[in-house]
Amino acid sequence: MDSLITAAARALATGDALGALNRVALREDPPALALRGIAMAQLGDLPRARQLLRRAAQGFGPKEAVSRARCVVAEAEIALAVRDLTWPTKALESAQLALGAQGDRFNAAHAQFVMLRRLLLLGRLPEAERILMTVDANTLPPSLRAVHGLIESGIAMRRLQSSAARIALANAAQAAAQARIGALMTEIAAAARLLDAPAARLITQGQSQTLRLDEIETLQKTPVLIVDACRNTVRDATHAISLATRPILFVLMRTLGEAWPADAARDELIARAFRIRHPDDTHRARLRVEMGRLRKLLHPAADIQATRRGFVLVPRYTQEVAVLAPIVEDANAAVLALLADGESWSSSALALALGTSQRTVQRALDTLNETGKVQYFGQGRARRWLNPPMPGFATTLLLPAPFADG
């Protein structure tokens, strides 16, 4: 490797993209193309960066498997940045194995972290945790230790473990300062701000207040029956009942929770759960059936009793009921939460992250676009959707997470 390539690589390692380009901008050999691609990615020209990296990978010969694998990892990182979650992960896994087999363990770890961040976006927390536990952060260089801390904090935030998230971010900030990479420092600072931002609303006896993540963590340790409208679960100190796949039952449960300690009127329950303004006897009969199903599911933690006016929620092991609701109440809140990271997303990537059909996501995006909440650029398959990050509150509770596991 010649001196210019070495100098450009060192410049990129410290985040000096312009310094790297000054050395290799006019060269067309594969190593120079790869470095130019990484430099363009750092400068934000991601489409050009992907083209350069693909040209570099194609230019490396069969005896340059490590260099080709590094190009694959760099392209995967760009795919993650542009939220191309359909990018072939098998190529990344093969590149990671190739790098590890050749003794390039730092780049192999970097490939692993790209995979972990993808899993985090998809809400696959148990899988991400299992992989992260196999990584010894103490053996990594500062830049990778910072990324390790970011991933660790992201998992902790989604688990509502604010103390663990703060510790991980503090370690990440210290490592990023040692690495002297400005982009990492900025990302860590943005993640730290989320911990101090309102994350949800607490509704108790008709009163509403905002809570931070650490306050939500504390709430979960108190003897309160929580109706969690962020994750569609009902939980107390010992039970967690998921209603994520039973939307009608959860609407009934939330209505009961908001009315507690009073009862909820039958007509109100029907209007909110069935969206019917003028109910008749058939709707009241359906309500009794749904209440029977809800009562059976809630049996470990609570009971539902009929009253003259409607139904009332009766906790079994606590004296308090609280409803935890999103800051933003919108039918398409999950889509807005993903777009709030400021990145541009394709509809296919949103569908993959939310675990729903692409057509459903497209309808949601069209609705949000009509009201000016999102915007797009590009046409056809190249269309990307985005909106500026909504200032002042965290979106962690709206991001994808496994309901039964979380």
Side-chain angles (χ1 to χ4, degrees):
M1 186 177 293
D2 60 53
S3 59
L4 285 177
I5 293 294
T6 302
R10 288 176 177 170
L12 285 176
T14 61
D16 184 8
L18 293 177
L21 285 176
N22 283 338
R23 295 170 172 86
V24 296
L26 300 179
R27 293 179 53 166
E28 294 291 328
D29 52 301
L33 289 173
L35 293 174
R36 285 169 58 192
I38 296 172
M40 295 306 294
Q42 290 185 3
L43 292 173
D45 191 349
L46 301 182
R48 178 62 175 160
R50 295 182 85 169
Q51 294 174 3
L52 290 167
L53 286 167
R54 286 177 182 175
R55 286 176 57 194
Q58 293 168 359
F60 285 117
K63 295 183 179 180
E64 298 171 301
V66 172
S67 297
R68 188 162 53 250
R70 290 174 181 173
C71 290
V72 171
V73 174
E75 186 181 352
E77 189 172 14
I78 292 172
L80 182 68
V82 298
R83 300 303 186 256
D84 181 4
L85 302 183
T86 60
W87 192 85
T89 56
K90 288 185 178 180
L92 180 58
E93 293 171 358
S94 299
Q96 179 189 344
L97 292 174
L99 291 168
Q102 296 296 324
D104 189 357
R105 62 186 188 90
F106 290 160
N107 279 308
H110 184 64
Q112 195 171 40
F113 287 165
V114 172
M115 181 69 73
L116 281 169
R117 300 189 83 168
R118 179 181 181 275
L119 292 175
L120 202 58
L121 276 178
L122 295 175
R124 292 158 61 177
L125 302 188
E127 187 177 351
E129 283 179 314
R130 285 195 298 270
I131 297 174
L132 193 64
M133 288 177 63
T134 65
V135 180
D136 184 3
N138 295 323
T139 64
L140 300 175
S143 59
L144 290 181
R145 289 206 308 272
V147 177
H148 181 279
L150 272 172
I151 296 171
E152 192 175 17
S153 68
I155 293 174
M157 285 184 190
R158 286 161 174 78
R159 295 288 193 201
L160 303 183
Q161 299 168 351
S162 60
S163 299
R166 289 185 188 278
I167 294 172
L169 284 174
N171 294 334
Q174 184 178 6
Q178 293 176 3
R180 298 180 181 179
I181 299 178
L184 270 178
M185 296 179 187
T186 301
E187 187 173 359
I188 292 167
R193 285 194 295 271
L194 290 179
L195 290 172
D196 296 319
R201 291 182 299 119
L202 180 67
I203 304 172
T204 54
Q205 301 186 30
Q207 302 296 318
S208 177
Q209 66 180 98
T210 59
L211 298 182
R212 300 188 308 271
L213 282 178
D214 56 349
E215 293 172 328
I216 296 170
E217 182 182 13
T218 301
L219 175 67
Q220 290 190 327
K221 298 176 182 177
T222 58
V224 177
L225 181 69
I226 302 172
V227 183
D228 189 345
C230 299
R231 300 191 185 277
N232 287 15
T233 59
V234 180
R235 66 177 74 233
D236 59 17
T238 56
H239 304 92
I241 303 165
S242 174
L243 298 177
T245 60
R246 310 293 292 271
I248 290 179
L249 296 188
F250 185 78
V251 170
L252 293 173
M253 184 63 195
R254 177 172 176 176
T255 305
L256 292 170
E258 290 179 354
W260 188 90
D263 57 354
R266 289 179 175 83
D267 287 355
E268 181 185 3
L269 290 163
I270 291 171
R272 292 186 62 173
F274 308 146
R275 300 179 183 179
I276 296 172
R277 294 184 179 179
H278 305 289
D280 55 27
D281 290 341
T282 61
H283 302 124
R284 296 185 182 93
R286 183 185 175 190
L287 177 63
R288 289 194 296 272
V289 171
E290 299 294 351
M291 280 297 181
R293 292 170 177 165
L294 181 58
R295 185 181 291 112
K296 184 177 180 180
L297 289 173
L298 289 180
H299 180 74
D303 188 22
I304 298 175
Q305 297 178 0
T307 65
R308 291 187 61 184
R309 198 171 73 102
F311 294 89
V312 64
L313 182 65
V314 182
R316 294 189 184 278
Y317 305 107
T318 71
Q319 300 298 320
E320 292 290 333
V321 175
V323 176
L324 197 64
I327 293 287
V328 177
E329 294 277 13
D330 190 286
N332 302 308
V335 175
L336 287 173
L338 288 172
L339 293 176
D341 65 0
E343 302 293 344
S344 58
W345 289 70
S346 66
S347 58
S348 59
L350 288 168
L352 187 60
L354 295 172
T356 187
S357 70
Q358 187 173 352
R359 183 61 191 135
T360 299
V361 170
Q362 288 171 342
R363 285 196 294 266
L365 290 169
D366 289 340
T367 301
L368 292 170
N369 185 48
E370 290 174 0
T371 57
K373 294 181 179 179
V374 300
Q375 56 189 2
Y376 67 87
F377 61 89
Q379 299 295 329
R381 293 186 177 181
R383 176 170 292 185
R384 294 293 183 270
W385 297 84
L386 75 163
N387 72 328
M390 301 184 71
F393 70 89
T395 59
T396 302
L397 291 182
L398 298 177
L399 294 175
F403 293 111
D405 185 80

